[in-house]
């Protein structure tokens, strides 16, 4: 199960991503927001972060205008590694090296076409399990 959330700046892109996930047969839980009225991104960032940290969902996707505020909020939750990605190289590297469990996107930064490729790369790339990467991830949690 995938957790997905956004603020008003990410609402349109979240709708595109949910349509894409449906087409791929990937199950998700939508934690809001549910429209383009102005809301506070930390609320949605933390909801998705807790769903991932508590094990309710394996991974998450968060979208705000830039992807910055919502990823900062999510990364306050212990066990969450939220990565803001603007291209597929970043999405692949953050899965292989950081075992990122939340992808953050900027709805006002990337177009839907690129965003969907980033989502696919993030979902389809496994963690490398290399000793050096495990060691570094453990150091983040210390
Ligand atoms: C909302 O206007 C905007 O600040 C928010 O979507 C996000 O970009 C914050 O980092």
């Amino acid at each position: 199960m995938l957790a997905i959330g956004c603020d008003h700046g990410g609402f349109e892109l979240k709708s595109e991503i949910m349509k894409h996930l449906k087409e791929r047969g990937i199950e998700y839980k939508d934690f809001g927001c549910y429209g383009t009225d102005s809301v506070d991104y930390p609320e949605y960032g933390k909801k998705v972060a807790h769903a991932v940290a508590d094990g309710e969902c394996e991974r998450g996707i968060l979208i705000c205008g830039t992807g910055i505020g919502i990823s900062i909020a999510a990364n306050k939750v212990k066990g969450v590694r939220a990565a803001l990605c603007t291209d597929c190289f970043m999405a692949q590297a953050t899965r292989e090296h950081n075992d990122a469990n939340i992808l953050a996107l900027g709805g006002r930064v990337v177009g839907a076409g690129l965003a969907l490729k980033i989502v696919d790369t993030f979902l389809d790339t496994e963690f490398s399990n290399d000793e050096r990467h495990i060691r570094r991830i453990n150091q983040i949690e210390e």
Side-chain angles (χ1 to χ4, degrees), residues 64-108:
C64 68
T66 58
I68 297 171
I70 209 157
S71 58
I72 292 173
N75 275 316
K76 291 285 181 185
V77 176
K78 195 171 168 50
V80 163
R81 291 176 301 282
L84 172 58
C85 297
T86 54
D87 61 40
C88 294
F89 176 80
M90 294 170 82
Q92 182 179 340
T94 199
R95 286 290 310 128
E96 289 177 346
H97 293 205
N98 317 122
D99 197 15
N101 47 17
I102 294 184
L103 169 67
L105 294 165
R108 297 172 182 159

Side-chain angles (χ1 to χ4, degrees), residues 105-121:
L105 294 165
R108 297 172 182 159
V109 179
V110 289
L114 174 57
L116 298 183
K117 291 277 181 205
I118 294 172
V119 165
D120 284 343
T121 304

